[in-house]
């Protein structure tokens, strides 16, 4: 049903668009901007005929703005837009946005973020309205919480309040798998640098390469946090890539996992995890903070809000606060974050060669992270006394809890009844810490 | 001067992966130590074994009631 509605609405939009394009052929009315400008300069209002009124109204329509792009029109940030991005660029963006709607609604790809992002993109591409400017709705949202990296931190707080570190605490050494998977970040950083150094396709600076490679951390808020700190001009493409690939985890990961493991390895049954003392869970966020204090203060914003959320949850005495973080707060912020990121889907900032580069590098980053996690788990299995199923290494890319679910599914395909979910949750939440640490390292480099 | 992007990024990789592993390794060690200490001094009270059977009995009752109600509704 939903699909039908969507297709209908897309068809309708396409029809509207083609009819306007056809109309442009018949449209022989000479637009006379000079006259309008003169009239504007006239302080006093002079009587206008109805045809003049209609004509001057036509000047203010989006139809006119898209059909007759003018030199010197500025976008919300005051940068001049090319003729292409005023006309055809907007059309292409509308099509891309409908594709995102389709993915979010019909395919269920991370709808909670893709839908607001896509709608923000739709609004950002409205001509004349200047939604992304400093006084436009999207511009205000962007300045309020994305330009200063605030919203991703609030999301992290909520994620912290939702995360249960029990599986990690019961089998702590699996945390190292969450570290190995961060190879996706640094491997693709080298990839991005090589792409811009040896091929002429894209020209990323080191900062931009770093911001792109964080997609390999498979963690939406971290990606947005780093992108707005290091390369805000690429934010839209990075966020879209990060969230679409996170949604594609069940498609991207299994082939890599199967290629790198043998049937026997996938059948490995892991020991039951021990019960974790609730005091351990309570103290864990504090240990993380101590580590941040001693080793990596640059990761303090991300890990600090994450640990706060988790501490509030595990303390058990502020359920009201932790429920707020897990539900209402994270929902409100998700709306703002989505719309604000969507403002970067304006045609002039999204339709650039770099976007394709970001999509490719992002995919490589995901694949490399998965592969590194699995290989590390294989290695650990060789040296560990207790058997470790190499599949759980793939959960080391964050993407909580999707990656862990994928691991469990692939595991039970190889051996029905072998439930790896809890074992995979360990590297999975460690992956969140790992990518925040990697983000902190990148931030510290560019200080 | 032109910066060798690949060379720089390789250095970043070495630094980054080292820090990530050191961070997580130390974290793992601290977690192990705290688990030992906590379980030595503050062992969690094991919930008394009398409650589970009664609760499972209760859930059996609930399951029976639900089954009866759905059956009843089907027949309507």
């Amino acid at each position: 049903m939903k699909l039908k509605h969507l297709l209908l609405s897309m068809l309708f939009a396409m029809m509207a668009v083609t009819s306007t394009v056809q109309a442009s052929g018949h449209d022989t009315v000479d637009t006379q901007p000079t006259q309008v400008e003169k009239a504007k300069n006239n302080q006093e209002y002079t009587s206008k005929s109805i045809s003049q009124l209609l004509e001057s109204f036509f000047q203010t329509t989006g139809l006119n703005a898209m059909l007759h792009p003018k030199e010197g029109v500025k976008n919300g940030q005051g940068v001049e837009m090319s003729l292409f991005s005023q006309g055809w660029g907007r059309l292409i963006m509308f099509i891309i946005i409908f594709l995102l709607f389709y993915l979010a609604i019909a395919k269920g790809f991370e709808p909670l973020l893709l839908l607001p992002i896509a709608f923000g993109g739709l609004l950002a591409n409205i001509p004349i309205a200047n939604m992304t400017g400093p006084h436009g709705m999207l511009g205000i949202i962007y300045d309020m919480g994305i330009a200063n990296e605030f919203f991703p931190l609030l999301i992290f707080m909520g994620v912290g309040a939702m995360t249960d570190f029990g599986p990690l605490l019961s089998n702590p050494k699996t945390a190292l798998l969450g570290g190995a998977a961060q190879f996706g970040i640094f491997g693709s950083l080298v990839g991005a640098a090589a792409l811009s150094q040896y091929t002429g396709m894209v020209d990323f600076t080191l900062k931009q390469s770093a911001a792109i490679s964080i997609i390999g951390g498979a963690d939406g808020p971290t990606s947005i946090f780093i992108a707005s700190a290091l390369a805000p001009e690429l934010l839209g493409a990075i966020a879209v890539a990060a969230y679409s690939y996170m949604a594609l985890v069940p498609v991207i990961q299994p082939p890599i996992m199967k290629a790198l493991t043998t049937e026997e390895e996938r059948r490995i049954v892991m020991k039951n995890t021990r019960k974790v003392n609730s005091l351990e869970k309570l103290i864990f966020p504090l240990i993380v903070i101590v580590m941040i204090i001693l080793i990596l203060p640059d990761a303090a914003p991300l890990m600090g809000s994450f640990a706060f959320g988790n501490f509030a949850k595990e303390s058990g005495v502020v359920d009201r606060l932790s429920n707020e973080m897990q539900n209402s707060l994270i929902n409100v912020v998700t709306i703002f974050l989505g719309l604000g990121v969507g403002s970067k889907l304006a045609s002039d900032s999204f339709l650039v060669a770099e976007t394709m580069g970001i999509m490719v590098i992002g995919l490589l980053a995901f694949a490399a992270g998965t592969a590194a996690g699995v290989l590390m788990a294989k290695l650990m299995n060789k040296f560990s006394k207790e058997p470790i199923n190499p599949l759980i290494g793939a959960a080391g890319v964050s993407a909580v809890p999707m990656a862990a679910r994928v691991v469990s599914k692939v595991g039970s395909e190889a051996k029905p009844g072998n439930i790896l979910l809890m074992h995979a949750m360990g590297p999975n939440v460690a992956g969140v810490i790992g990518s925040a640490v990697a983000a902190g390292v990148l931030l510290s480099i560019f200080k | 001067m032109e910066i060798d992007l690949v060379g720089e990024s390789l250095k970043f990789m070495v630094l980054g992966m080292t820090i990530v592993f050191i961070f997580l390794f130390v974290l793992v060690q601290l977690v192990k130590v705290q688990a030992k200490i906590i379980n030595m001094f503050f062992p969690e009270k094991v919930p008394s074994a009398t409650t589970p059977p009664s609760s499972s009995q209760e859930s059996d009752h609930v399951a029976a009631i639900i089954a009866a109600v759905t059956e009843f509704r089907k027949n309507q």
Side-chain angles (χ1 to χ4, degrees), chain A residues 214-233:
Chain A
I214 203 81
I215 297 173
D219 194 272
T222 311
S223 302
I224 294 174
F225 183 82
I226 292 295
S228 56
L230 296 181
E233 66 279 7

Side-chain angles (χ1 to χ4, degrees), chain B:
Chain B
M1 198 187 84
E2 185 85 349
I3 306 173
D4 176 24
L5 288 179
V6 175
E8 284 302 303
S9 56
L10 279 172
K11 281 183 255 172
F12 292 177
M13 181 161 91
V14 173
L15 173 77
M17 290 308 284
T18 316
I19 302 289
V20 168
F21 269 115
I22 290 177
F23 191 97
L24 287 173
F25 184 77
V26 176
L27 192 65
V28 168
Q29 301 312 315
L30 287 178
V31 165
K32 280 185 182 164
V33 171
Q34 81 143 352
K36 264 191 197 147
I37 294 174
I38 287 176
N39 286 320
M40 198 184 289
F41 294 106
F42 312 97
E44 190 119 286
K45 281 171 212 144
V46 181
S48 52
T50 47
T51 39
S54 73
S55 72
S56 78
Q57 224 171 18
E58 226 165 71
S59 63
D60 279 353
H61 284 180
V62 173
I65 292 168
I66 290 172
V69 169
T70 43
E71 199 58 31
F72 175 71
R73 284 200 181 142
K74 257 189 222 163
N75 292 338
Q76 268 188 335

Side-chain angles (χ1 to χ4, degrees), chain A residues 72-89:
Chain A
V73 172
K74 288 175 179 162
N75 68 3
Q77 285 73 46
V79 183
E80 268 188 34
M81 293 177 80
S82 66
L83 294 181
F84 171 77
S85 57
Q86 288 179 45
W88 284 106

Side-chain angles (χ1 to χ4, degrees), chain A residues 259-304:
Chain A
L260 291 176
T261 52
T262 61
E263 184 73 31
E264 264 170 58
E265 283 171 326
R266 289 201 290 277
R267 287 166 178 270
I268 292 175
V269 179
M270 291 180 69
K271 264 195 195 168
N272 275 341
T273 48
R274 73 176 173 91
K275 185 100 176 58
V276 176
N277 191 322
S278 60
L279 197 56
E280 285 177 60
K281 287 190 186 176
L282 178 63
I283 292 179
F284 182 72
L286 297 180
I287 294 182
V288 173
I289 292 290
V290 170
M291 298 281 299
I292 292 293
I293 294 172
L294 296 179
I295 300 181
L296 199 61
D298 278 306
L302 283 170
M303 290 318 297

Side-chain angles (χ1 to χ4, degrees), chain A residues 58-138:
Chain A
F58 181 68
Q59 300 290 332
T60 67
T61 58
L63 193 60
N64 178 55
M66 292 205 292
L67 292 180
H68 304 290
K70 277 181 263 176
E71 294 284 353
V73 172
K74 288 175 179 162
N75 68 3
Q77 285 73 46
V79 183
E80 268 188 34
M81 293 177 80
S82 66
L83 294 181
F84 171 77
S85 57
Q86 288 179 45
W88 284 106
R90 287 200 165 110
L91 266 184
I92 295 172
M93 281 317 292
F94 288 142
I95 293 169
I96 292 176
I97 282 158
F98 272 99
L99 182 75
L100 290 179
F101 281 155
Y102 171 75
L103 292 179
I105 298 170
K107 294 278 175 187
F109 278 16
E110 299 278 326
L112 285 177
L113 262 144
L114 275 192
L115 197 124
I117 288 179
F119 211 93
L122 188 60
L123 298 181
N125 280 296
I126 297 177
I128 298 178
N130 229 349
M131 299 285 276
T132 60
H135 297 292
M137 178 180 111
L138 298 178

